[in-house]
Amino acid sequence: MPALAASAPTETHCPYCALQCGMALTAANGTNTVESSTGAGLVTVAPRDFPTNRGGLCQKGWTSASVLTAPGRLTRPLLRPHRAAPLRPVSWDVALGHVAHRLRQIQAAHGRDAIAVFGGGGLTNEKAYALGKFARVALGTSQVDYNGRFCMSSAAAAGIRAFGLDRGLPFPVTDLDGADAVVLVGANVAETMPPFTQHLRRAVDNGGLVVVDPRRTATAEQAALHLRPAPGTDLALALGMLHAAVADGHLDHAYITERTTGFDAAWRVAARWWPERAERVTGVAAADQRAAVRILAQAANAYVLTARGAEQHASGVDTASAWINLALALGLPGRVGSGFGCLTGQGNGQGGREHGQKADQLPGYRRIDDPEARAHVAAVWGVDPENLPGPGRSAYELLDSLGTDGGPRALLVFGSNPVVSAPRAGHVAERLAALDLLVVADVVLSETARAADVVLPVTQWAEEDGTLTNLEGRVLLRRRALDPPPGVRTDLDVLHGLAVRLGQPADRFPTDAETVFEELRRASAGGPADYSGVTWERLRAGEQLHWPVPSPGHPGTPRLFLDRFAHPDGRARFAAVDHRGPAEPPDAEYPLHATTGRVLQHYQSGAQTRRVAELVSAAPESFVEVHPDTAARAGLGDGELARVVSRRGSAVARVRHTPTIRQDTVFLPFHFGDDQRANLVTNPALDPTSRMPEFKVCAVRLEPLAGEPRRRRPSDPSEETA
């Protein structure tokens, strides 16, 4: 058989994390159409020399084309005539007509807020913008939030409190190339975004990488100094290190005086946290705390970077603020070559929270309760600002209220899989089952889609155009490389079809992504995240545009805060924060800390990566990392199956003896489904400011699974059928 001709490569970006590595896709059949959903080798991936990855890709990136041709792809709408019936294929007209009819019925009976919308941090800017607009205009509901609440909300709130503005990295990621020292708090970038590690090479070579993590991760292996605090004690550690900075004479007094406010109040708290006291709480030696501060203070160029390990706590905002305090005390933020930043996780985690799918926000990172913001956005949308709803429930609170008295009776889910990704996942599944209507738009039959009344098949990353905003605030154009399978529609098409059936003018919800972006530009104009000067034409030309870009001729703002911070007085704010500890400490019944995270081969809930044979082969099932002595006390040998039990439920995992983990801590990856879901045990205790759940620590015990037959489950979700 003659070889298939290859089409011209399409320059695009990886579908996974917020590093958004540059890659090129080539269709092997000479067209931009994949005709077979099971054919291998029809699409090839090649890395590009893009600033974030410089020609590198991780294992997920290299295999990303396999998701495009994986078995189990949805190509027809599915509808369940009644709860006891299976999902059956129907036409688009029937599916959308049924959804619109049921939405009207439910709102007529229970009010506007009886309908809720749940989005995702992987949606493009255009889809996130359209989803928030659809919720507030077509449905008139305040009940809209997204899974980014589970990812970046604490860091965002801390950034706004300290700097007046939230952008994950307020500098290009390539600035880290010149860092002599980096303190990395709660991040395992060697597995979660491997190409990122090249930007830490100078710090590693100079002995300047400090990693804060209770586990001895692949990232910690590269560090000159590894600090291993007990889960939930990162804030106490940051206070001890701030105390050391003061006591050992490392403060940048001129910077504190000229560029900040609030230091005295923050110091009054930290003064009580001498490093020896912090050692008793965290387990991190006082000498190591002082050494870490010395590494930062003596470096010519230094950074403090936080991630989910520090932020996914019921005190996540204060914890992030404590690390910001340390950076401010050393004079790092707002300087070329130094700074503070947080590492965004999801592919569009930054842009996804800027354009209106969050419960309290409107496009441009505007507050929904700001009358001026409401008037501006309403004018762009052509509606009366009085008709826009106010703030709604945050993500977990929204999910927890489903099907209850006064809670939503219907839920539309776009780009999320909360049955796996939400805390207290068993309870969330029960709340979904209590709904009158669950509608899921997805690429595959995820665990959440399996529970739906209507499933709508939508395009995925390489089958549509759209923009995303990566971890450094750079707006990127993800280009369409392939036609979607016949019968599949874009999310914008779905929203348009529903909106028209709900009585909206056809032109209010356009289906062309570039047209939507032009409207987004106007809606964001003048807001904190101002995209009004960004155009697809500029992005196609290869311009590097970091927001804010307030006019068409503006070059963008790669480095924020060099002259002033975004508060009215131009100064950064110290926050007087104190350690509280985890919401659920270990006790006699549940004596261990459990913490969760990612592994190299999988991403988020695993709905995509668990369909890639190479990745499933490398990481086929969940595991629990346990110190051998801890495992022995529980009667668990290496490789045996265990049940990890908390007050909320239990998860099944394969025991992995790990001598480098703390004896009081176990670790579970959160990518797996069914009874392997780590989030069956996690605690939904919420941060009072960000409403972030406490994913990173809860109290558990270990039990052998011996004598109990394990239910069969497909390790590859492509084995599932509708």
Side-chain angles (χ1 to χ4, degrees), residues 180-556:
D180 301 297
V182 176
V183 172
L184 197 58
V185 187
N188 181 19
V189 291
E191 291 194 76
T192 59
M193 47 178 69
F196 183 91
T197 59
Q198 65 186 299
H199 301 294
L200 304 176
R201 182 51 50 200
R202 179 184 173 96
V204 171
D205 292 345
N206 287 350
L209 180 62
V210 179
V211 171
V212 179
D213 198 308
R215 302 170 59 222
R216 184 71 175 174
T217 64
T219 306
E221 290 285 351
Q222 302 179 43
L225 184 59
H226 175 205
L227 309 182
R228 293 197 304 164
T233 65
D234 303 70
L235 204 165
L237 177 60
L239 289 167
M241 290 173 65
L242 178 57
H243 188 111
V246 175
D248 296 348
H250 295 308
L251 290 190
D252 189 329
H253 293 280
Y255 177 96
I256 292 171
T257 299
E258 296 167 8
R259 301 207 62 189
T260 75
T261 187
F263 173 76
D264 289 345
W267 168 240
R268 279 193 290 272
V269 179
R272 303 193 297 268
W273 283 93
W274 53 95
E276 288 76 13
R277 180 190 177 194
E279 177 180 346
R280 290 197 294 271
V281 172
T282 67
V284 176
D288 286 343
Q289 296 174 50
R290 294 188 173 97
V293 173
R294 188 166 57 249
I295 288 171
L296 272 179
Q298 294 179 351
N301 299 298
Y303 293 84
V304 176
L305 305 176
T306 65
R308 304 304 80 72
E311 300 153 8
Q312 286 180 324
H313 295 276
S315 58
V317 175
D318 285 354
T319 302
S321 292
W323 291 104
I324 293 173
N325 285 350
L326 177 64
L328 289 172
L330 300 175
L332 305 182
R335 279 179 43 202
V336 174
S338 293
F340 172 86
C342 55
L343 302 178
T344 305
Q346 295 191 71
N348 199 31
Q350 182 69 55
R353 67 183 182 270
E354 296 168 359
H355 297 300
Q357 64 172 332
K358 196 162 174 270
D360 54 357
Q361 286 177 358
L362 289 172
Y365 225 144
R366 289 179 161 92
R367 290 190 58 86
I368 198 168
D369 56 4
D370 177 357
E372 186 176 338
R374 291 169 64 86
H376 174 86
V377 174
V380 174
W381 289 349
V383 300
D384 186 336
E386 295 298 319
N387 292 334
L388 292 179
R393 295 176 174 93
S394 71
Y396 180 76
E397 291 167 304
L398 176 60
L399 296 171
D400 185 45
S401 71
L402 297 175
T404 64
D405 290 342
R409 308 297 309 176
L411 178 68
L412 283 69
V413 179
F414 288 78
S416 188
N417 187 16
V419 168
V420 175
S421 64
R424 199 183 173 196
H427 173 70
V428 169
E430 291 173 358
R431 300 300 350 125
L432 293 173
L435 288 167
D436 296 335
L437 178 69
L438 174 61
V439 180
V440 175
D442 210 331
V443 174
V444 294
L445 203 65
S446 69
E447 286 80 0
T448 304
R450 274 191 267 161
D453 300 292
V454 182
V455 181
L456 304 174
V458 292
T459 51
Q460 56 177 311
W461 62 288
E463 300 164 353
E464 59 187 8
D465 291 318
T467 62
L468 299 97
T469 307
N470 74 350
L471 79 173
E472 57 187 356
R474 177 172 169 173
V475 185
L476 307 169
L477 183 60
R478 185 186 280 173
R479 300 169 188 263
R480 174 173 170 157
L482 306 162
D483 291 332
V488 171
R489 298 186 180 182
T490 70
D491 298 80
L492 296 178
D493 283 320
V494 171
L495 295 174
H496 171 86
L498 288 174
V500 169
R501 286 169 173 81
L502 292 170
Q504 292 292 309
D507 60 354
R508 181 166 282 167
F509 289 89
T511 60
D512 175 69
E514 187 170 2
T515 302
V516 175
F517 189 83
E518 287 299 303
E519 184 180 305
L520 181 157
R521 292 176 58 207
R522 300 196 305 276
S524 74
D530 191 334
Y531 283 44
S532 60
V534 181
T535 66
W536 279 34
E537 182 179 3
R538 295 183 73 181
L539 297 177
R540 289 187 188 103
E543 290 194 56
Q544 298 188 30
L545 299 175
H546 300 75
W547 69 260
V549 190
S551 64
H554 194 280

Side-chain angles (χ1 to χ4, degrees), residues 14-21 192-193 344-348 598 603:
C14 182
Y16 296 119
C17 79
L19 200 59
Q20 283 299 289
C21 294
T192 59
M193 47 178 69
T344 305
Q346 295 191 71
N348 199 31
R598 302 179 184 178
Y603 180 70

Side-chain angles (χ1 to χ4, degrees), residues 24 79 96 138 264 315 345 365 407 456 487 499 633 645 676 688:
L79 188 147
L96 295 179
D264 289 345
S315 58
Y365 225 144
L456 304 174
R633 286 193 292 272
V645 184
Q676 296 183 79

